[in-house]
Amino acid sequence: MKKTLKLFFIVFLFSCKGESGKKEKTDSISANNQSAAITSSVNKKSADCYDYLTELVRSSNFPFEEWKVKNEKVNLIIDEENNEIISCKLVFDTQGTGTIGWIEYHKKDGKLYNTSAELESPVELKYNKKWQNLFDACLSENQTSSPDKITQNNSGNLKEFYDRSTQLSLPNSYDYDAIIEEKGFLPLDKKYYQIFPIEHQDNYKIAKLPIIDNNIRPVILITYNEAGQSTWYLFTLNDQYMPISNIILYTSEELENGSSKATTYKISKDYKITISQESGDKIINKKVYTISKEGKFIS
């Protein structure tokens, strides 16, 4: 898979990768007398859950002091979220410009990593463990109380849209004309947006890919932010047509120096998914994913 924290799912801009209800909160971070604000946005679970994640990252030893952001807002954008990890990037503002790094939170063991592209390997970060306890407890409570209701109310309707949508062929990869034309994508009714763990997005469009083992149904979802910038997600759906996992396939941003940065993708016939982050003609980061038997993206 391309599921803002005010830190924003984007906590979907996550996103900590991620895009429904909206809630925003701005907080300050002190790092060597440098003051920054981490803005967090929340997904369809509980707003309070991602407030705890905001505090968790705020309390960490991520090297904020290396960035002279002062009073500029630093946003957390979810790039990927599944049952195991939340992967996000830190940026200067809500439009996704000025990336300062990447972080990844592992839900099972509570480990937080600095996964920024310039590092040879992820660096584990320290943080105040009380926020882990609150965040994990909040996620657990929401996971047990909300999915059934959503499934009962919306799975049948999403099946209708799934059945009507165009099936794209494999291999499938980034193409400028395809991004502009969006051929084969079916507009999704707004009342079904809540099914997808994405915040601050609109104009959803969907197309399906070939079904894989265990009735896992991959779909590509296109959404737009308030600035009119599109993001392409790869979601896997279960046999109830509910999301299992997601990653970002495509997004782009304009940098302060006038250049641009984009995330592009390649999907092979056997669902080997290569995600590349490019600045100009240079690839600055690359990840390869496969899809597990449970429909989760594994890097």
Side-chain angles (χ1 to χ4, degrees), residues 128-285:
N128 189 325
K129 290 294 184 179
K130 76 175 183 179
W131 299 117
Q132 176 195 354
N133 296 333
L134 291 168
F135 180 57
D136 291 353
C138 187
L139 286 183
S140 178
E141 179 181 352
N142 280 276
Q143 287 171 351
T144 57
S145 62
S146 62
D148 290 343
K149 181 178 179 181
I150 295 175
T151 300
Q152 292 170 5
N153 291 341
N154 297 303
S155 62
N157 294 307
L158 190 56
K159 179 182 185 303
E160 174 191 350
F161 278 93
Y162 178 89
D163 291 341
R164 289 169 49 203
S165 64
T166 300
Q167 179 167 301
L168 306 178
S169 61
L170 292 177
N172 187 283
S173 62
Y174 167 83
D175 177 85
Y176 177 79
D177 290 336
I179 295 295
I180 298 300
E181 296 173 2
E182 300 177 352
K183 288 184 177 179
F185 284 84
L186 177 69
L188 192 63
D189 194 300
K190 284 190 175 183
K191 61 185 177 182
Y192 307 128
Y193 287 10
Q194 63 176 317
I195 295 174
F196 297 95
I198 302 172
E199 287 294 325
H200 301 279
Q201 299 287 295
D202 202 352
N203 298 325
Y204 290 23
K205 301 175 185 178
I206 193 171
K208 60 191 175 188
L209 295 173
I211 296 176
I212 56 180
D213 294 340
N214 299 327
N215 289 322
I216 304 301
R217 296 168 171 81
V219 298
I220 295 178
L221 182 73
I222 302 175
T223 67
Y224 280 83
N225 63 18
E226 293 178 354
Q229 173 62 50
S230 69
T231 299
W232 289 42
Y233 298 87
L234 179 60
F235 274 88
T236 50
L237 306 179
N238 61 21
D239 56 6
Q240 297 297 313
Y241 299 88
M242 294 297 296
I244 302 170
S245 185
N246 75 88
I247 56 175
I248 291 179
L249 293 178
Y250 163 79
T251 188
S252 67
E253 60 185 76
E254 296 296 325
L255 304 180
E256 293 182 345
N257 61 7
S259 62
S260 62
K261 184 168 65 174
T263 299
T264 60
Y265 71 95
K266 294 180 181 179
I267 307 174
S268 69
K269 288 184 177 181
D270 59 352
Y271 282 103
K272 178 181 177 181
I273 304 129
T274 303
I275 307 294
S276 301
Q277 294 173 340
E278 305 174 1
S279 182
D281 296 328
K282 182 180 179 182
I283 296 178
I284 59 176
N285 194 15

